[in-house]
Amino acid sequence: MPFVFDFDHAHRKPPMEMKDLLGGKGANLAEMTSVLKLPVPPGFTIAATACRSYMEGGWPEALTGEVAKARARLEKKMGKRIGDPSDPLLVSVRSGAKFSMPGMMDTVLNLGLNDQSVEGLAKQTDDERFAYDSYRRFVAMYGRIVLGVPGDEFDLLLEAAKELAGTTSDAGVPIGLLRYLVDAYQQIVERHTGRPFPQDPDEQLRGAIEAVFASWNGPRAIAYRVRERIAHDLGTAVNVQAMVFGNRDDASGTGVGFTRDPATGATGEYGDFLVNAQGEDVVAGIRNTETLSALKDEFPEIHRELLAIFSRLESHYRDMCDTEFTIEQGKLWMLQTRVGKRTGRAALKMAVDMVGEKAINLTREEALGRITGEHLEQVLHPQFSGADHPVLARGLGASPGAAVGRVYLTADDAQAAAERGEHVVLVRSETSPEDVHGMLAAEGILTARGGLVSHAAVVARGWGKPAVVGAEALRISAASFSVGDVVVNEGDWISVDGTNGTVVLGQVAVTVGETPPEFEIILGWADAVRTGRLGVRANADTGSDAANARRHGAEGIGLCRTEHMFLAEDRLPIVRRMILADTPDEEVSALEELRVAQRSDFEAILEAMDGLPVTIRLLDPPLHEFLPDTQDLAIKEATVGLDEEESRLYEAAKAWHEYNPMLGTRGVRLGVIKPGLYAMQVRALMEAALSRVAAGGHPIVEIMIPLTVSREEMALARSWVEAAIAEAEAAGGAASRRGRTGKDSTGALEVLIGTMIETPRAALLAAEIAEEADFFSFGTNDLTQMTFGFSRDDVEGRMMSAYLEQGLLPRNPFEVVDPDGVGELVRLGVRRGRATRPSLKIGVCGEHGGDPESIRTFAEAGLDYVSCSPFRVPIARLAAAQCVLAGLVPPKPAKSTPKSKAGSAPKSKAAPTAKSKASSKAKSPAKS
Ligand code: ADP
Ligand code: MG
Ligand code: MG
């Protein structure tokens, strides 16, 4: 397989299918050249395989010859030679990996200029100013990117030259000063490298190619890949392309264009351009750009040609594309295209619109494939509440959503503040790839310069971070910025609205944004695909959370953590009384009080989820969490002394102290020590359920035992639960009677008893645990901790980033479930559990249930549902549909589908054990 391919190389497959090899930029350049026949400056692509070889063993021998040949072919096509002193061919050397990493890697323009060929270029073009402007750009870019010279040394000199010339535009710097700049730049390079600026074009080309290879492993590229979950071993392709010059004269220019608005999805072209400028000027936000309608006024022909190209690109790629173009002396050249990044709002609108458009004719399934979880997240973003906030400054709304935070003026300060737990708005004159760590840490971004396709805007949109760019009234200095005579210091609060571009002093209240109409349309399509195949529930601990989850489309609750009810301020003293109880009577009376309190909590939840299953997990955390901190009490004892109550609490806290609470008295183990606790919870729950039945409701209750590791544990826990159910039914005679009446219309009660699977042992012994369990729910957070032996709190802060950067882990396994280890335990647990009980209902609860990539793993394992936080429910609905469309969801055995009361019948047949008597009894209070 060769390393080098010309843009017009005759590939057997369409170049777009060779992105692995050619990179995104190279594949698209080849596609535009050889398939679409668009005007693209000729060039060739060095495949990513060369970069991979380079990373392994240095510059590959064979590459030298291949590049020399490709270069000769290019020179022949252009009728010019690189480095020819009388008429030089200039090239750009452009990085381009498989996945676009905007601005993360480097590109060198105008390569091939030296002290001789610059004169040749000046003569050929009869434009000395242009030749030297190109040369000073080249020396600065090559110096910075290839030779590692700090870029601001060049920038400072350029600023000084502009000031001297009394101009604000690069194009206004006169030839004399340009010659001086080229000379001064070369001296800067020599001072930093100890060698003169390389004059030999061969050396320049080789150096630039190597620099692009090396930039793959530059710190900002690595940070970007970690964030975007791109593999570190892909490598980048390198494109060498004949230069075209937008900085030639006033009949030239350069721009960035989108085939539709990437922020809103509105149809019609959208973009920025600059007259008499070279590519990077637009993106850098150095000069304020004009819109494409200004292009229409100044270059009507070109505008028309560009629109025709846009519509060809859209129907070819069947999607919105972004482009880079350059006009050289009245001729249009396309320099780049790709399917464009977009905001969530735009993604939704475009996907729905394109289903109805003839030229594109998207299917609903394809439309679903175009939306990501991040897109949905973005439209769920907060907005300013209310309308008339005093506006401090206005800029361009570059990335929607509202952000409120303290002002920091450098990326490092922003990052440090965020690490201290502060909310941060990063304020910069403009951003560059050097700022990405600060942008990542910030909640919002504000810049004084740059347009809607500036670095800040592009990066913020990609990450769904609110951003306002080009707020020109800002005057930024070292530790503050000012607008008119208002000074905003570092650490002061501001609020930015990236939807309409406003900046407000202080903290504005924010609300959750209204989702656009396309949001419901897309999710409706998603539900149609996945219903009956992969369910989505929510984790909710209160009635209002449950109601919210239902509004977001949850089909039940997969995890209700009852400990949250215990930690409420009015409950804590009661819990403590129970722990401190000296006599059984004291314990019983404290439990009684808790029962009454919990009952109303449960009722609210069951009401909000009426007719849908609600999984209630019995108390899980170690008891010491309910006791005061021993250190605080020790200090108090040693200083002011403790009162009687405090000394008792201190004794209890010491008695319950655990060396490793994560692996201590948790879950069902707690129930073993304090069986009255679980009985109390079940009674409260059953009373709540029966009262819902009495009110004509249809509660579906699933009682879940946490942290079980054996059949014996599960059988014991099950016996308490069943006893408590029976007791509650007997005690609640009145409610029960009324319940029976209710049941004739709508009221009915169903109860299942199941367990969490959150230790490796539970997964391994799923077959026997399933004998006692009606359902499983994988608790993948604990399962991940115990499978890896990672204590999450300790490991995430301290070593996770090192593991990710060094490629020791492909993902943080607490964010994306580990498909091989933890995933294998899930698959095994499902297989073994269902071998015992084919109808076993199985889900997953915990954060992974809302992560699209993890959902794939769960779908493939054959789970019935995923459960996640209410705000992630829409994301899970979409991801679940995508799994079904991708054919990942195994077909459901016919018997496990019924969800109604009848569903219990096959279950008892499937496992005719002692428990089935009990569970069928539990399911039908009317019978007992
Ligand atoms: P990035 O991926 O950061 O956008 P590019 O390789 O696209 O980097 O190049 C940076 C800028 O230089 C872009 O504006 C691009 O249009 C411009 N450019 C690249 N190659 C050429 C060329 N051969 N002629 C003119 N401009 C070019
Ligand atoms: Mg580009
Ligand atoms: Mg757990």
Side-chain angles (χ1 to χ4, degrees):
M1 182 68 95
F3 283 131
V4 179
F5 301 88
D6 292 354
F7 295 167
D8 58 2
H9 178 93
H11 293 286
R12 264 193 257 120
K13 294 191 277 186
M16 283 312 293
E17 287 173 27
M18 304 176 61
K19 275 167 100 174
D20 274 338
L21 203 61
L22 303 176
K25 198 179 286 169
N28 280 304
L29 283 166
E31 190 91 359
M32 285 200 291
T33 305
S34 56
V35 181
L36 291 164
K37 314 272 186 225
L38 298 181
V40 176
F44 56 87
T45 301
I46 301 168
T49 42
C51 178
R52 274 175 245 160
S53 305
Y54 177 86
M55 288 188 293
E56 274 159 31
W59 182 271
E61 202 57 51
L63 188 56
T64 312
E66 283 195 49
V67 168
K69 282 198 194 122
R71 170 181 163 180
R73 289 194 298 271
L74 178 63
E75 289 175 333
K76 195 159 164 233
K77 256 177 232 157
M78 302 302 297
K80 291 181 186 197
R81 283 182 305 105
I82 298 175
D84 181 341
S86 58
D87 185 13
L89 170 65
L90 305 190
V91 294
S92 62
V93 176
R94 317 172 64 184
S95 61
K98 178 177 180 187
F99 302 104
S100 103
M101 299 169 57
M104 286 300 113
M105 290 187 302
D106 294 318
T107 287
V108 178
L109 301 180
N110 306 335
L111 188 137
L113 283 173
N114 58 25
D115 294 347
Q116 274 85 53
S117 62
V118 67
E119 292 297 340
L121 183 67
K123 275 210 198 75
Q124 279 297 326
T125 57
D126 197 19
D127 191 342
E128 225 186 346
R129 214 209 71 81
F130 157 71
Y132 275 88
D133 184 53
S134 302
Y135 195 20
R136 66 102 189 145
R137 288 170 190 265
F138 172 56
V139 177
M141 275 186 140
Y142 198 92
R144 181 170 60 79
I145 293 164
V146 181
L147 304 173
V149 177
D152 29 335
E153 297 207 19
F154 304 117
D155 297 344
L156 280 175
L157 268 183
L158 179 62
E159 288 305 316
K162 284 202 255 185
E163 202 158 301
L164 203 67
T167 178
T168 53
S169 86
D170 296 1
V173 181
I175 174 65
L177 276 175
L178 285 174
R179 280 179 182 278
Y180 161 78
L181 280 179
V182 165
D183 197 45
Y185 280 10
Q186 295 205 23
Q187 286 176 28
I188 293 175
V189 168
E190 184 156 357
R191 197 171 68 244
H192 276 274
T193 63
R195 287 190 55 210
F197 185 81
Q199 295 287 320
D200 173 8
D202 283 310
E203 185 188 340
Q204 292 175 357
L205 185 58
R206 161 90 181 235
I209 294 169
E210 281 205 55
V212 174
F213 285 164
S215 70
W216 175 260
N217 277 334
R220 50 185 225 244
I222 290 176
Y224 188 87
R225 290 198 296 271
V226 168
R227 169 68 175 73
E228 295 284 305
R229 301 173 173 179
I230 297 172
H232 294 305
D233 57 2
L234 291 175
T236 178
V238 182
N239 302 286
V240 177
Q241 184 175 31
M243 284 299 301
V244 289
F245 298 100
N247 59 332
R248 187 79 172 73
D249 52 27
D250 284 340
S252 308
T254 187
V256 173
F258 294 79
T259 57
R260 335 192 158 198
D261 185 333
T264 64
T267 45
E269 81 278 12
Y270 176 92
D272 287 356
F273 104 113
L274 275 174
V275 178
N276 200 346
Q278 214 169 31
E280 76 284 3
D281 297 350
V282 177
V283 186
I286 295 166
R287 279 163 59 185
N288 287 324
T289 51
E290 301 183 75
T291 64
L292 290 191
S293 55
L295 177 72
K296 186 176 174 182
D297 299 338
E298 287 169 57
F299 301 91
E301 290 287 309
I302 300 253
H303 185 256
R304 214 168 307 135
E305 190 185 348
L306 192 64
L307 288 201
I309 289 175
F310 281 4
S311 78
R312 288 191 59 205
L313 288 174
E314 278 216 343
S315 44
H316 182 69
Y317 288 95
R318 300 179 67 231
D319 205 343
M320 182 269 275
C321 295
D322 71 19
T323 63
E324 288 172 5
F325 62 90
T326 281
I327 305 162
E328 183 182 70
Q329 300 193 301
K331 164 137 182 65
L332 175 66
W333 293 98
M334 300 307 292
L335 288 170
Q336 185 173 322
T337 193
R338 68 188 159 202
V339 167
K341 300 210 172 185
R342 60 204 68 187
T343 63
R345 187 169 299 265
L348 287 164
K349 177 159 170 51
M350 288 180 199
V352 172
D353 283 356
M354 286 178 188
V355 169
E357 284 172 26
K358 265 212 205 68
I360 293 178
N361 211 358
L362 219 57
T363 64
R364 287 183 178 187
E365 286 74 19
E366 286 172 319
L368 285 172
R370 297 256 170 110
I371 309 295
T372 65
E374 290 197 5
H375 289 143
L376 298 183
E377 228 171 323
Q378 281 177 33
V379 298
L380 293 163
H381 261 179
Q383 312 282 320
F384 282 177
S385 64
D388 37 12
H389 305 287
V391 173
L392 174 69
R394 273 183 208 285
L396 304 169
S399 180
V404 179
R406 293 175 186 275
V407 169
Y408 285 93
L409 297 144
T410 69
D412 288 343
D413 291 344
Q415 188 184 37
E419 277 165 6
R420 291 193 299 269
E422 290 183 29
H423 297 274
V424 170
V425 173
L426 176 66
V427 181
R428 302 280 294 156
S429 168
E430 66 223 292
T431 65
S432 78
E434 266 80 37
D435 295 320
V436 288
H437 59 290
M439 299 171 78
L440 252 175
E443 243 128 295
I445 293 153
L446 170 61
T447 68
R449 298 202 287 189
L452 288 170
V453 290
S454 64
H455 179 265
V458 172
V459 171
R461 267 203 299 277
W463 290 346
K465 284 198 197 267
V468 175
V469 302
E472 289 173 29
L474 264 59
R475 294 283 164 271
I476 299 184
S477 53
S480 66
F481 73 83
S482 61
V483 180
D485 45 16
V486 181
V487 176
V488 183
N489 290 309
E490 199 165 77
D492 290 353
W493 287 92
I494 59 167
S495 305
V496 294
D497 182 343
T499 312
N500 60 21
T502 52
V503 183
V504 178
L505 202 56
Q507 294 170 263
V508 173
V510 293
T511 60
V512 171
E514 259 175 46
T515 51
E518 292 84 7
F519 182 82
E520 292 303 332
I521 296 175
I522 286 284
L523 286 173
W525 294 348
D527 288 346
V529 166
R530 73 169 180 86
T531 300
R533 305 291 304 278
L534 186 54
V536 177
R537 299 193 191 180
N539 301 342
D541 305 331
T542 65
S544 67
D545 278 0
N548 183 26
R550 198 166 190 165
R551 270 195 302 280
H552 280 92
E555 299 162 294
I557 290 182
L559 176 63
C560 170
R561 305 175 187 85
T562 53
E563 50 273 17
H564 289 195
M565 303 170 177
F566 278 50
L567 284 167
E569 228 177 292
D570 53 334
R571 316 273 164 89
L572 200 54
I574 316 176
V575 176
R576 286 181 177 171
R577 267 214 306 288
M578 177 200 75
I579 298 172
L580 295 177
D582 287 330
T583 67
D585 282 353
E586 272 177 45
E587 186 172 316
V588 167
S589 90
L591 285 173
E592 266 305 294
E593 269 187 77
L594 285 174
R595 182 180 59 79
V596 175
Q598 280 222 296
R599 182 186 147 145
S600 61
D601 292 342
F602 287 137
E603 235 180 292
I605 292 170
L606 291 174
E607 183 172 359
M609 278 289 165
D610 194 59
L612 295 174
V614 174
T615 307
I616 304 284
R617 180 177 70 185
L618 302 184
L619 197 64
D620 183 35
L623 278 190
H624 82 157
E625 281 194 10
F626 300 105
L627 294 167
D629 189 74
T630 46
Q631 259 178 9
D632 292 351
L633 287 175
I635 292 167
K636 197 160 180 209
E637 185 182 42
T639 52
V640 287
L642 301 176
D643 63 27
E644 195 195 330
E645 160 92 358
E646 283 169 335
S647 340
R648 288 184 65 201
L649 280 172
Y650 186 30
E651 286 313 308
K654 280 193 289 192
W656 283 102
H657 168 80
E658 289 183 311
Y659 291 100
N660 190 346
M662 189 189 81
L663 301 176
T665 317
R666 294 186 49 194
V668 67
R669 304 165 198 172
L670 180 61
V672 171
I673 296 176
K674 295 231 169 221
L677 193 63
Y678 276 10
M680 175 280 291
Q681 287 200 289
V682 177
R683 273 192 64 192
L685 176 58
M686 292 314 296
E687 284 166 13
L690 288 171
S691 109
R692 288 295 310 142
V693 171
H698 179 189
I700 305 175
V701 179
E702 301 179 346
I703 299 174
M704 182 155 78
I705 314 296
L707 218 72
T708 319
V709 296
S710 72
R711 169 180 40 206
E712 289 69 25
E713 256 180 352
M714 187 59 202
L716 178 61
R718 185 169 192 115
S719 72
W720 306 323
V721 173
E722 282 169 354
I725 291 174
E727 205 179 308
E729 281 169 2
S736 196
R737 250 195 320 282
R738 268 185 280 126
R740 229 173 278 140
T741 342
K743 190 185 151 248
D744 293 333
S745 46
T746 52
L749 173 61
E750 297 173 48
V751 182
L752 295 182
I753 305 170
T755 183
M756 290 188 80
I757 301 290
E758 46 191 339
T759 64
R761 189 178 204 276
L764 292 167
L765 297 208
E768 48 167 271
I769 293 175
E771 289 174 18
E772 299 294 337
D774 302 329
F775 66 89
F776 283 173
S777 179
F778 284 92
T780 47
N781 188 47
D782 273 323
L783 192 56
T784 299
Q785 296 204 84
M786 295 193 223
T787 302
F788 279 87
F790 283 167
S791 153
R792 179 171 187 174
D793 292 340
D794 299 320
V795 149
E796 259 190 333
R798 230 161 269 158
M799 46 144 268
M800 192 56 71
S801 56
Y803 265 62
L804 295 175
E805 275 159 25
Q806 293 175 40
L808 297 174
L809 285 172
R811 305 270 190 276
N812 176 348
F814 293 104
E815 283 167 10
V816 179
V817 78
D818 155 41
D820 305 324
V822 177
E824 183 63 15
L825 284 171
V826 172
R827 290 186 287 273
L828 188 141
V830 170
R831 256 199 326 273
R832 294 189 178 174
R834 290 214 175 116
T836 300
R837 191 188 285 251
S839 62
L840 191 72
K841 199 197 265 193
I842 308 182
V844 62
C845 55
E847 281 163 76
H848 290 121
D851 167 65
E853 227 181 298
S854 307
I855 291 173
R856 289 173 72 97
T857 302
F858 300 136
E860 283 176 303
L863 299 201
D864 297 302
Y865 68 87
V866 296
S867 185
C868 56
S869 82
F871 280 105
R872 294 200 69 85
V873 165
I875 293 156
R877 285 159 71 197
L878 173 74
Q882 288 171 340
C883 289
V884 172
L885 290 174
L888 300 176
V889 178
K892 289 265 149 354
K895 57 191 117 171
S896 69
T897 30
K899 260 201 191 152
S900 64
K901 292 163 264 173
S904 56
K907 196 161 288 155
S908 7
K909 255 178 249 148
T913 59
K915 65 118 285 289
S916 68
K917 274 182 273 135
S919 65
S920 56
K921 178 183 80 182
K923 264 163 232 149
S924 175
K927 260 191 250 159
S928 58

